[in-house]
Amino acid sequence: MLQSNAKWIYKNKDIPFDDWMDEIENITPLTKQLLAQRGIETKEDAIRFLSPKLEDLYDPENFYSIDKARERVYKAIEQQEKILVYGDYDADGVSSTTVLVKALEELNANCSYYIPNRFTEGYGPNENAFTEAYKNGFTLIITVDTGIAAVHEAEIAKQLGIDLIITDHHEPQEELPDAFSILHPKCSSSYPFKDLAGVGVAFKFAQSLLGYFPKHLLEFVAIGTIADLVPLVEENRILAYFGLQALSQSKNPGIQALKKVCKIEGNVTEEDVGFSIGPRINAVGRLQDATLAVELLMTDDMYLAEDIAEEIEQINEQRKKIVNEIVEEAEKSVDPLSSGVIVVAKEGWNEGVLGIVASKLVRKYDRPAIVLTIKSDTNEAKGSARSIPAFDLFQHCMKVRELFINFGGHAQAAGMTLPIENVKTLENKLSEFIHQELTEEDFKQEIEISGKLSLHDIHLDLVKEITKLAPFGMNNPKPVFQIDEIPTEKRQIGAGKNHLKVLFKKDNIQLDGIGFGIGELYHYITPKTPIKIVGELGINEWNGLKKIQMMIQDMRIDDWQLFDRRGMKHVQYTPYHKKRVAVVQNEVSAQETAITSIPYNAYHENLHEVDVLYIRDLPNELNHLKEIIKKTQPKNIYACYLIEDSAYLKSFPSREDFAWYYTLLRKKKTLNLTHELKPIINAKGWSKDRIIFMSKVFSELDFVKITDGVLYCNPNPEKNDLNNSATYQKQLRQMEIEKTLYYSNYDELRAWFSNCMKRPKEEMAHGL
């Protein structure tokens, strides 16, 4: 039996299909189910979802004060004022900056862009940058993907005589900046969709400025929208859908060079953006000035684009190395037994990658994580946080807003700066909140399962049908399915054996399951045992051959399992099975406190059920082991005993052998084994042990007396059966024990253990 790592949640298993679904052509029952799970309730919504149209995007003029902002830009262009686009250093900020600058350049504006350095300036607008902009003659600043929390900076702009237009999508805080204009979907009651990415807001402003729909900017919108993990529904779905098409056909030198280093060919998918393009753009701002990434997207020179793309690739490799080093250090500070919020801090950590580190800690420990770098010179701690679904990090941090110098973000991700002395207080407060509100089950990561499939359900057309719901992302996740089958093969793959591959076959149907990072589960899959896996279906194409595979996200085994380790000299207790472990052996020995030692000769009435039972020694009586298994009802049995001297493999004397030997004794009346053992061995080919064994049996039956190695035959023995000898019986029992528990095949041994676990119905009723 194997517990899943995550909590499996089944999406509305029995949603009835409404009549309107039958009116849509070429829609299968599976698509109906997936649409219903996404809350689509009308035919019109279903068609809009399955066939996105640019015409369904909302009018930018619904944004509050967009007309005011537009006229201010027009005035600046007309009067040749200098306009500064002030962006952010992530993929959303870089793409937002690119979109607005390209739109302004198209309008012949005198514009430039500025992205703050994460390490010297931090996140968002800052006073020094605004002051420098003023000195350089800028009279209009437009923020993209940032600024909604810049209350102080807005006041500085006002004092300097700079008009500030804020375009942002981050959570508005209690006080809004006193800016010339704020374009924010959550600050615009008349704008229907509230979840645009920063680049989505910038694109809407660009559309308003240009006076037409700028399709040529959609490729940049797709990058920021997908990389920033905003919900891929409604407008974001449409923008991402057409943006991916634009990326696939892009003539932009920077995009082409980026696709080349990412080894992306053909149609660009949301996974290409999320796992290849986005991380590389993000890497620049994480380690240095993100201006390089904007230069890549802005350049018209293919040679320059290729040079920049190669430089970005090297930066990304460096980023990976730094992340791994910090993760290794951070894990040393984490108490795995704690259930509170993880807060780790150390001087010298690169603040640009701390969000990635926090994400890795959340995945490993199933707890919110805050990772901070200590800045002794300013007495500050600065970093990033990531959370679990059940804990709204933004709302809970806002309850202790006074602890921060700067704070901003979303429910699941945030950035912050606070005095070093407040770090421990923050950890205590958040841990207090989490203990008050969450149960142990809430900490588990969640996997939403769209349905169960059999191998017969899986075919190429099914996978193609699922792709109709793409692009997948937040609020429109790629469907996850469950498969319950017995694998025909299992392997550990990868240089470090870190990954798992299982193969399922049935009636000429074949499915590969690949689980990255779960290679250790190889050791927990026992022969002929059904396993439950959940994951996403995809197509693996190699040399023109298409094969369906499932990317395994989690695995579970509901049946009890037998791990056959018979004959191994050294068997370690497996770390994966941690709870309620017991060891059965002949003698009580010192074990870990979490492990119960059960000697065969002990009183077994008080035994309790256990998760894992290690059988280290063979019993002297099969019934002793039967009783232990019946009482403990183990979910996992490790048969790990070793026989040094096998009774079963020795030839057991026949009754004819006993008869011949007894006849010899009667004839000789006295037999000195010291002197006469060898002639018997030569005559019969028996071993010394066999002759001694037979002699001992005769002694117990009172046929002979043995004194100092000399056998004296009883002249008038009473009749007695060999079965009345304790030595004879013990040897028979030992042979039966070895035959049953050691020399049986896997199926026979499993059947014997299964039979031991059965309880009479009356006993089960009383126990219940």
Side-chain angles (χ1 to χ4, degrees):
M1 186 171 288
L2 182 70
Q3 293 292 329
S4 60
N5 279 323
K7 182 163 53 175
W8 295 9
I9 299 174
Y10 296 89
K11 289 185 178 179
N12 307 321
K13 291 184 286 188
D14 303 314
I15 302 176
F17 299 146
D18 293 330
D19 294 338
W20 60 262
M21 287 190 174
D22 297 329
E23 301 173 14
I24 304 176
E25 295 182 3
N26 301 321
I27 185 171
T28 66
L30 176 63
T31 303
K32 291 179 181 179
Q33 175 184 328
L34 295 175
L35 288 173
Q37 289 174 353
R38 281 154 177 73
I40 294 173
E41 298 178 345
T42 68
K43 176 182 177 181
E44 292 71 28
D45 287 343
I47 293 173
R48 273 196 294 269
F49 188 89
L50 295 172
S51 304
K53 294 180 180 178
L54 291 172
E55 293 78 12
D56 289 331
L57 291 171
Y58 299 117
D59 190 337
E61 302 310 309
N62 287 323
F63 271 97
Y64 175 74
S65 80
I66 196 170
D67 51 345
K68 182 181 178 183
R70 181 179 64 249
E71 293 306 317
R72 179 65 186 90
V73 173
Y74 285 167
K75 178 184 175 184
I77 294 172
E78 182 182 341
Q79 297 182 1
Q80 280 298 293
E81 295 180 60
K82 293 179 72 174
I83 304 172
L84 183 66
V85 176
Y86 192 107
D88 189 21
Y89 37 63
D90 66 358
D92 191 12
V94 166
S95 55
S96 300
T97 302
T98 304
V99 163
L100 196 55
V101 170
K102 281 184 173 290
L104 290 171
E105 287 184 346
E106 192 173 330
L107 293 169
N108 295 317
N110 181 7
C111 68
S112 185
Y113 60 88
Y114 183 84
I115 295 180
N117 186 293
R118 181 194 295 260
F119 306 100
T120 58
E121 299 172 85
Y123 172 79
N126 67 83
E127 183 175 338
N128 289 338
F130 279 17
T131 302
E132 284 300 311
Y134 170 75
K135 290 178 181 178
N136 289 316
F138 289 97
T139 55
L140 176 61
I141 296 178
I142 307 172
T143 71
V144 287
D145 189 37
T146 188
I148 196 61
V151 175
H152 172 70
E153 290 75 17
E155 185 60 34
I156 294 298
K158 208 168 199 180
Q159 292 173 11
L160 293 169
I162 296 175
D163 286 333
L164 177 64
I165 297 173
I166 293 174
T167 76
D168 199 357
H169 75 122
H170 293 94
E171 290 293 332
Q173 299 190 19
E174 294 175 359
E175 183 182 358
L176 293 177
D178 183 13
F180 181 87
S181 174
I182 295 177
L183 305 184
H184 193 302
K186 292 182 179 176
C187 297
S188 300
S189 58
S190 59
Y191 198 81
F193 186 62
K194 305 299 182 185
D195 292 317
L196 285 169
V199 72
V201 180
F203 179 79
K204 292 290 181 175
F205 192 29
Q207 180 182 351
S208 178
L209 290 171
L210 293 169
Y212 70 93
F213 187 82
K215 280 188 177 181
H216 60 291
L217 300 178
L218 282 173
E219 57 192 304
F220 310 111
V221 179
I223 292 174
T225 299
I226 294 170
D228 212 52
L229 301 179
V230 293
L232 281 191
V233 296
E234 298 188 46
E235 278 203 296
N236 287 339
R237 175 174 172 78
I238 298 170
L239 292 169
Y241 181 88
F242 287 99
L244 288 170
Q245 292 181 6
L247 280 172
S248 301
Q249 303 161 8
S250 178
K251 297 291 188 277
N252 178 277
I255 297 294
Q256 289 183 331
L258 203 51
K259 286 163 64 175
K260 184 177 179 181
V261 298
C262 293
K263 297 180 173 57
I264 298 172
E265 298 178 356
N267 292 331
V268 180
T269 68
E270 66 274 23
E271 291 179 344
D272 292 328
V273 175
F275 297 107
S276 295
I277 294 174
R280 283 168 171 80
I281 294 176
N282 279 328
V284 183
R286 292 186 188 283
L287 299 191
Q288 62 177 54
D289 192 335
T291 301
L292 183 69
V294 181
E295 289 176 7
L296 174 68
L297 300 182
M298 291 295 298
T299 185
D300 293 324
D301 186 328
M302 193 65 216
Y303 294 108
L304 178 60
E306 289 179 347
D307 287 345
I308 295 175
E310 287 295 337
E311 185 178 350
I312 288 176
E313 181 69 8
Q314 293 172 14
I315 292 170
N316 190 48
E317 289 301 314
Q318 184 185 359
R319 186 268 305 171
K320 292 179 184 176
K321 181 182 177 183
I322 293 171
V323 166
N324 291 337
E325 290 172 352
I326 297 178
V327 167
E328 190 174 331
E329 290 182 10
E331 287 179 348
K332 295 175 182 177
S333 303
V334 178
D335 179 2
L337 300 178
S338 171
S339 59
V341 174
I342 294 170
V343 179
V344 289
K346 185 177 179 182
E347 190 162 3
W349 281 350
N350 187 308
E351 66 186 73
V353 300
L354 299 186
I356 302 174
V357 175
S359 294
K360 289 180 178 291
L361 295 180
V362 171
R363 283 196 294 273
K364 180 167 184 176
Y365 297 104
D366 290 333
R367 288 185 274 150
I370 298 175
V371 185
L372 305 165
T373 184
I374 300 295
K375 297 178 177 290
S376 299
D377 54 336
T378 59
N379 193 45
E380 291 177 350
K382 184 178 181 183
S384 297
R386 298 293 183 267
S387 193
I388 57 177
F391 193 73
D392 187 322
L393 196 66
F394 181 83
Q395 293 298 331
H396 285 92
C397 283
M398 288 302 290
K399 293 178 183 177
V400 288
R401 182 65 178 84
E402 69 279 1
L403 295 177
F404 302 101
I405 298 169
N406 291 305
F407 175 78
H410 305 289
Q412 298 299 299
M416 61 193 66
T417 304
L418 65 161
I420 295 173
E421 58 268 21
N422 288 357
V423 171
K424 192 61 183 178
T425 305
L426 176 64
E427 179 181 4
N428 292 338
K429 285 288 186 183
L430 292 179
S431 295
E432 182 182 328
F433 294 150
I434 208 167
H435 287 141
Q436 288 172 351
E437 298 176 19
L438 303 189
T439 65
E440 183 179 348
E441 193 69 11
D442 292 328
F443 284 90
K444 271 192 166 187
Q445 295 178 46
E446 296 178 353
I447 296 178
E448 290 192 334
I449 300 170
S450 295
K452 297 181 182 179
L453 296 175
S454 69
L455 285 184
H456 293 95
D457 295 326
I458 299 172
H459 46 78
L460 287 173
D461 288 340
L462 172 76
V463 181
K464 291 176 182 176
E465 181 182 334
I466 292 171
T467 59
K468 292 179 182 178
L469 278 67
F472 299 110
M474 295 288 289
N475 289 27
N476 181 38
K478 193 170 186 179
V480 172
F481 296 101
Q482 177 180 324
I483 295 173
D484 303 351
E485 295 287 348
I486 298 174
T488 53
E489 294 178 26
K490 60 168 183 170
R491 282 194 290 143
Q492 287 178 300
I493 58 175
K497 305 293 184 184
N498 296 326
H499 315 304
L500 175 70
K501 182 173 183 179
V502 290
L503 175 66
F504 302 99
K505 277 184 179 180
K506 184 183 287 185
D507 302 332
N508 297 322
I509 299 170
Q510 181 172 314
L511 175 69
D512 287 330
I514 308 293
F516 290 107
I518 58 171
E520 75 278 1
L521 295 186
Y522 167 87
H523 302 288
Y524 301 92
I525 302 175
T526 49
K528 301 179 184 179
T529 301
I531 67 173
K532 300 178 188 293
I533 61 171
V534 291
E536 301 171 354
L537 291 174
I539 297 174
N540 181 28
E541 189 167 354
W542 178 256
N543 289 335
L545 179 65
K546 293 182 178 180
K547 291 174 62 177
I548 302 174
Q549 66 180 17
M550 173 174 276
M551 304 308 296
I552 302 173
Q553 295 182 1
D554 203 2
M555 187 175 85
R556 191 176 84 208
I557 299 174
D558 290 340
D559 290 355
W560 81 270
Q561 289 179 267
L562 169 62
F563 295 86
D564 192 351
R565 304 290 189 266
R566 291 177 289 182
M568 294 185 181
K569 288 189 176 181
H570 303 288
V571 178
Q572 294 182 336
Y573 301 133
T574 52
Y576 207 85
H577 293 139
K578 296 175 183 175
K579 297 180 179 179
R580 301 182 67 87
V581 178
V583 179
V584 182
Q585 51 202 355
N586 288 325
E587 300 292 336
V588 178
S589 60
Q591 301 286 351
E592 301 174 41
T593 54
I595 296 177
T596 301
S597 182
I598 307 175
Y600 281 114
N601 58 359
Y603 181 69
H604 297 144
E605 282 301 315
N606 295 325
L607 287 179
H608 300 287
E609 293 187 2
V610 298
D611 293 315
V612 188
L613 188 70
Y614 288 89
I615 307 174
R616 299 305 304 259
D617 298 320
L618 287 174
N620 293 324
E621 299 283 349
L622 281 174
N623 282 336
H624 292 168
L625 183 56
K626 281 183 182 179
E627 185 67 16
I628 291 170
I629 292 172
K630 181 180 175 183
K631 296 285 185 185
T632 56
Q633 292 290 307
K635 300 178 178 67
N636 301 280
I637 294 178
Y638 283 77
C640 44
Y641 32 78
L642 173 67
I643 295 179
E644 299 286 357
D645 183 24
S646 173
Y648 185 77
L649 293 182
K650 294 177 181 176
S651 178
F652 191 71
S654 64
R655 287 186 174 270
E656 289 74 17
D657 291 338
F658 278 103
W660 185 92
Y661 187 38
Y662 186 61
T663 301
L664 176 66
L665 291 172
R666 290 291 298 264
K667 182 179 178 181
K668 284 185 168 288
K669 294 185 175 58
T670 301
L671 181 68
N672 189 329
L673 290 179
T674 305
H675 302 111
E676 300 182 68
L677 191 63
K678 194 167 184 180
I680 300 174
I681 292 174
N682 292 336
K684 300 296 292 182
W686 293 345
S687 67
K688 176 182 176 181
D689 287 341
R690 174 183 284 210
I691 297 169
I692 292 173
F693 168 73
M694 295 167 70
S695 302
K696 190 173 182 180
V697 170
F698 285 152
S699 174
E700 289 176 352
L701 296 176
D702 203 26
F703 291 169
V704 298
K705 281 188 177 181
I706 303 176
T707 305
D708 296 329
V710 178
L711 278 68
Y712 300 94
C713 190
N714 185 346
N716 298 302
E718 294 183 6
K719 283 189 175 183
N720 211 341
D721 193 87
L722 291 172
N723 288 313
N724 292 328
S725 163
T727 297
Y728 187 85
Q729 283 295 330
K730 181 181 178 182
Q731 190 75 346
L732 285 178
R733 286 196 304 273
Q734 185 62 27
M735 290 172 61
E736 180 63 20
I737 289 167
E738 291 180 15
K739 177 184 176 184
T740 302
L741 299 179
Y742 197 78
Y743 295 106
S744 54
N745 62 36
Y746 182 88
D747 291 339
E748 291 169 340
L749 184 62
R750 194 181 196 284
W752 189 85
F753 282 131
S754 290
N755 191 57
C756 292
M757 291 188 203
K758 292 178 182 176
R759 292 173 170 172
K761 291 183 179 179
E762 297 83 358
E763 181 183 336
M764 293 175 69
H766 287 306
L768 181 65

